Amino acid sequence: MPPLLRIEGLHTRIDLRRTTVRAVDGVSLEVQPGETLGLVGESGCGKTMTALSVMRLLPPGGHVTGGRIVLDGTDLTTLSDDQMRHVRGNDIGMIFQDPMTSLNPTIRIGAQIAESMLLHRDVSRKEALDRAIEVLRLVGMPHPEERAGDYPHQLSGGMRQRVMIAMALACEPKLLIADEPTTALDVTIQKQILELIDDLRRRLGMAVILVTHDLGVIAGRADRVAVMYAGRVVETTDTETLYANARHPYTEALFTGLPENAAETRRRLYSIPGLPPDLTNPPSGCRFAPRCRYATHECRDVDPTLDGDVPDHLFACIHPVGRPEVSEPSARDHVRYRLLRDGGAGEAASEVGSNDRAEPLLEVDHVVKDFPVTAGAVLQRRVGRVSAVADVTFDVPRGSTFGLVGESGCGKTTVGRLVVGLERPSAGTVRVEGQEFSRVRGRALRQLCRGVQLMFQDSYGSLDPRMRVGGILREPLVIQGIGSRREQERRVAELLDEVGLPRRAVDRYPHEFSGGQRQRVGLARALTLNPQLVVADEPVSALDVSIQAQILNLMQDLQRRHGLTYVIISHDLSVIRYLSDTIGVMYLGKLVEIGPADSVYERPRHPYTRGLIDTVPAADPWREKEKRAVGVTGELPSAIHPPSGCRFRTRCPFAEEVCAHEEPQLRALGTDGHRAACHFPLGPAA
């Protein structure tokens, strides 16, 4: 069967004022009808630019300078702008990375979806709106008739992503390009979106290009994978072969940087040194050589071609890793993957220090936080309350890490804000070193605030765009009246050294840094006042694998060096398990399970925890295929009117009548401190 899409020797350039970026440099790919191709690699490696080249939606100054893009027999590079407008949305649909910035905030959802029908089909406005509602129903949008009249800001992140999918599918395209469709979504919404794309691909018979940095997403969804680096494809084959026997050192390095592959051994994550090359002046020879642990002088002189031992597994490397292939890999023949998972190809072991049960630095005791719901523009009458945190109790020993996990809307961030004193509890107490924020004043309050710091989820949004990094890091010292100007500047230089940023970064603004560098600035800001407790809210959310490994290693190094105590908030269970000594699982304001990290992950006792673990995409195609549990299904209930009894009962496969009438309490399920709030807890081998 001829390919639906064939890309041959694609070259894309972006002309800047003084230089030219070679964003895509000789990429060749094929996508068969009904097939899913995964494009994977670090940020800046050319994945999105390849997808935008297919759509002819390049940024200002961008243009295709060479090669062919043939869709169903038509070379898209030869079409005029008017002809290409007919192809976009009609033959090719695209799901953009950030739905909030891609949707028009001033137009209702139904009208935005209907727009493509009006452009590409001879239909009336009523027929186009009817089709919009039909497509919203197709993508699983609850109450599609009502949602069609909403604006984007009235929808949750998962719902906005469904709207983007509906817009892309309105005209039933032959090819769907999904650019990071699940970035920063929690695991349950992520699973729903990926299953939706997969189901629609089968039902509509379309091909899919899945652009992502998440190797777990690729493992469970893609038929074939192309690994990109520095604007080129460095390895391509079918998914199982790639995960069983990665041949390019860059692909191997991506696998060894995954926290899930080092969670059991607690080895230090391998992080690829340096950054991808500057594509305005790419290096000669192999572009990965400056960062490759196997590179030789030959690698820096010879530019390897995309070739391989077998026709279906191509890689561009002079000194490939793995083993030469002589036969098709079986489902159990993934020796290389097991080696990577156990850390055999990583750095020397560096154990994460285990903490004995020391005195608690943080005590959260029966904390409740309700937010009022008001109505009326003037009188603001109270008509209800949002139960954000409902009777949560836990403590964190000094020098340990407590991981808080759960879906978006479960109250994790609210707990974090209560811990650092940005919110006051409606009931209960939060004590740091025995002191409560609500009971101290003056000098004692300032001293307490210095000891507790917060790393915000959005590092870019939390940094003042008008201030240079030097001023951002000095600001807490100035406010607290600590040291002279020279001493403050010396402290800033020390902080930059500790988080691995050059000292010249003091003169740069936040927008001049990459996402990983901004996360380092956020961590440096949290450490400025030498705190004892750091609350990190989604510290590696939306970062690609190599940058994530660098930040996680840095956080562990700083913890060992300064005796820090962490509260880590995340929806990524692999990150939580790797970093944490203790894990707490929250659902709709309640703490439903708590215990040692390995015990909670390997022997979950609450059905919600089991569902979250089953929902997380694993970077292992065989494990993904063998998963029998469906994970957490259904929608999160409203926190204004939470279900009676057990709040999880409306989504629990084991719920019985007692669950509706009697609220379960946390009770011990073993001798290691593992507790769960469930009437019918799962067995140890669940």
Side-chain angles (χ1 to χ4, degrees):
M1 184 180 297
L4 173 68
L5 176 70
R6 186 172 70 253
I7 302 174
E8 299 175 350
L10 177 65
H11 291 264
T12 300
R13 303 285 185 267
I14 302 174
D15 293 328
L16 304 178
R17 182 177 299 177
R18 297 180 179 176
T19 186
T20 298
V21 178
R22 301 173 185 175
V24 181
D25 198 3
V27 166
S28 296
L29 295 169
E30 287 187 356
V31 185
Q32 299 293 331
E35 181 185 46
T36 298
L37 172 70
L39 275 184
V40 68
E42 295 173 281
S43 298
C45 284
K47 309 184 303 294
T48 297
M49 206 56 64
T50 300
L52 293 176
S53 297
V54 174
M55 294 288 288
R56 297 259 305 265
L57 284 176
L58 295 168
H63 51 278
V64 174
T65 59
R68 302 172 70 216
I69 305 171
V70 181
L71 177 71
D72 203 14
T74 303
D75 188 352
L76 303 184
T77 61
T78 64
L79 299 183
S80 66
D81 289 342
D82 286 340
Q83 291 171 321
M84 196 62 206
R85 288 189 194 99
H86 180 71
V87 173
R88 292 191 210 104
N90 195 28
D91 295 325
I92 309 176
M94 186 163 185
I95 304 170
F96 293 94
Q97 183 170 354
D98 184 359
M100 194 59 187
T101 57
S102 303
L103 296 171
N104 191 324
T106 65
I107 301 177
R108 298 180 190 273
I109 292 302
Q112 295 194 54
I113 299 173
E115 185 179 14
S116 62
M117 290 296 297
L118 293 170
L119 287 172
H120 299 297
R121 297 286 189 271
D122 184 17
V123 295
S124 65
R125 182 166 293 277
K126 182 182 183 306
E127 290 172 327
L129 287 172
D130 289 343
R131 172 62 177 166
I133 294 171
E134 179 187 342
V135 178
L136 284 173
R137 187 176 292 111
L138 180 69
V139 300
M141 178 73 78
H143 310 295
E145 293 84 358
E146 299 174 19
R147 297 287 83 79
D150 288 345
Y151 291 96
H153 72 273
Q154 295 176 283
L155 305 179
S156 66
M159 286 184 175
R160 285 196 290 267
Q161 200 65 284
R162 289 175 188 270
V163 171
M164 287 297 302
I165 297 173
M167 291 177 67
L169 298 179
C171 295
E172 298 187 1
K174 302 171 186 175
L175 174 67
L176 177 67
I177 300 174
D179 185 11
E180 299 282 7
T182 58
T183 297
L185 296 179
D186 62 49
V187 289
T188 54
I189 303 300
Q190 181 184 63
K191 181 180 176 67
Q192 292 172 19
I193 296 300
L194 292 173
E195 287 186 343
L196 173 61
I197 293 173
D198 216 27
D199 180 57
L200 291 170
R201 175 183 65 85
R202 288 191 296 265
R203 290 166 61 183
L204 302 178
M206 64 184 178
V208 175
I209 296 178
L210 187 57
V211 178
T212 181
H213 63 259
D214 192 328
L215 291 162
V217 169
I218 292 291
R221 309 293 166 185
D223 301 303
R224 289 188 305 111
V225 183
V227 182
M228 290 194 67
Y229 182 78
R232 294 179 174 177
V233 174
V234 296
E235 185 166 7
T236 179
T237 184
D238 65 89
T239 306
E240 290 189 358
T241 300
L242 185 83
Y243 282 70
N245 187 33
R247 302 304 311 277
H248 198 284
Y250 177 61
T251 310
E252 181 197 64
L254 292 178
F255 281 125
T256 53
L258 293 171
E260 65 191 74
N261 295 339
E264 294 178 13
T265 59
R266 295 297 180 93
R267 296 172 67 91
R268 183 179 178 81
L269 295 176
Y270 177 76
S271 61
I272 306 174
L275 296 170
D278 181 3
L279 294 183
T280 61
N281 184 26
S284 59
C286 175
R287 295 186 176 184
F288 185 60
R291 307 174 69 194
C292 180
R293 48 188 162 175
Y294 309 117
T296 63
H297 291 296
E298 185 183 8
C299 300
R300 293 175 173 84
D301 297 329
V302 178
D303 192 358
T305 58
L306 193 64
D307 203 348
D309 304 312
V310 293
D312 294 333
H313 190 172
L314 306 179
F315 49 88
C317 185
I318 300 172
H319 306 295
V321 295
R323 62 189 187 280
E325 293 169 290
V326 295
S327 62
E328 291 294 321
S330 67
R332 293 291 87 197
D333 183 25
H334 52 293
V335 178
R336 187 68 183 169
Y337 181 80
R338 289 202 306 271
L339 177 66
L340 298 180
R341 181 192 64 198
D342 296 336
E347 294 179 344
S350 177
E351 296 295 331
V352 178
S354 60
N355 291 275
D356 296 329
R357 201 64 187 169
E359 60 175 283
L361 174 69
L362 169 68
E363 298 170 273
V364 177
D365 187 19
H366 296 286
V367 165
V368 175
K369 180 61 181 178
D370 297 330
F371 293 98
V373 178
T374 59
V378 179
L379 297 179
Q380 293 285 299
R381 294 176 293 107
R382 181 167 178 163
V383 296
R385 63 183 180 87
V386 174
S387 178
V389 179
D391 196 18
V392 167
T393 298
F394 64 88
D395 61 72
V396 184
R398 189 183 301 273
S400 68
T401 300
F402 182 83
L404 202 55
V405 69
E407 297 171 274
S408 297
C410 284
K412 309 185 300 298
T413 297
T414 303
V415 169
R417 293 175 65 84
L418 288 165
V419 168
V420 300
L422 292 179
E423 301 283 355
R424 292 198 173 187
S426 306
T429 57
V430 177
R431 292 186 293 273
V432 179
E433 287 196 298
Q435 293 184 299
E436 294 180 46
F437 280 98
S438 59
R439 293 181 179 271
V440 293
R441 295 287 185 274
R443 185 186 297 272
L445 179 59
R446 293 179 65 182
Q447 190 66 32
L448 184 58
C449 289
R450 287 170 58 175
V452 184
Q453 294 294 317
L454 176 64
M455 275 181 69
F456 292 91
Q457 179 174 356
D458 182 1
S459 56
Y460 187 60
S462 64
L463 301 174
D464 191 330
R466 299 167 298 178
M467 293 179 66
R468 300 179 193 271
V469 163
I472 290 172
L473 297 182
R474 276 190 60 235
E475 188 177 36
L477 300 171
V478 173
I479 292 173
Q480 294 281 345
I482 299 174
S484 64
R485 174 69 180 253
R486 179 171 296 179
E487 290 170 334
Q488 291 170 359
E489 290 176 348
R490 188 182 305 121
R491 174 61 179 155
V492 168
E494 291 172 358
L495 288 167
L496 291 174
D497 290 341
E498 282 209 299
V499 300
L501 288 174
R503 293 193 175 188
R504 62 180 180 275
V506 293
D507 295 323
R508 293 163 63 185
Y509 292 95
H511 73 271
E512 298 180 85
F513 293 91
S514 67
Q517 289 173 323
R518 282 196 291 265
Q519 203 68 285
R520 290 171 184 264
V521 173
L523 181 55
R525 170 69 183 255
L527 297 176
T528 302
L529 298 175
N530 294 313
Q532 296 175 302
L533 174 65
V534 175
V535 178
D537 189 2
E538 300 282 7
V540 292
S541 176
L543 297 180
D544 55 42
V545 175
S546 58
I547 305 301
Q548 174 180 271
Q550 293 173 16
I551 297 300
L552 295 181
N553 286 337
L554 175 62
M555 291 179 69
Q556 287 187 337
D557 291 343
L558 292 170
Q559 183 176 40
R560 283 190 285 265
R561 198 177 304 154
H562 300 291
L564 294 173
T565 304
Y566 285 132
V567 174
I568 308 291
I569 297 169
S570 179
H571 62 259
D572 190 330
L573 274 87
S574 59
V575 169
I576 287 290
R577 185 191 183 195
Y578 177 73
L579 282 180
S580 304
D581 302 295
T582 305
I583 292 178
V585 183
M586 284 194 72
Y587 181 77
L588 206 62
K590 290 280 186 180
L591 195 63
V592 298
E593 187 163 4
I594 186 171
D598 289 338
S599 179
V600 170
Y601 197 90
E602 294 172 4
R603 297 177 296 279
R605 309 303 296 273
H606 197 283
Y608 178 61
T609 309
R610 174 77 269 172
L612 286 180
I613 293 170
D614 289 336
T615 302
V616 176
D620 185 342
W622 300 275
R623 205 159 88 207
E624 283 294 297
K625 290 180 180 178
E626 291 170 357
K627 279 184 179 179
R628 283 181 255 179
V630 295
V632 181
T633 58
E635 297 292 331
L636 190 73
S638 169
I640 300 176
H641 303 290
S644 60
C646 175
R647 295 189 175 190
F648 184 60
R649 65 177 177 82
T650 58
R651 304 168 74 187
C652 181
F654 310 112
E656 296 190 12
E657 189 174 349
V658 64
C659 302
H661 303 296
E662 185 178 334
E663 181 180 338
Q665 302 299 315
L666 280 171
R667 55 192 175 102
L669 298 169
T671 59
D672 59 354
H674 194 159
R675 295 177 291 156
C678 184
H679 293 299
F680 307 103
L682 304 175

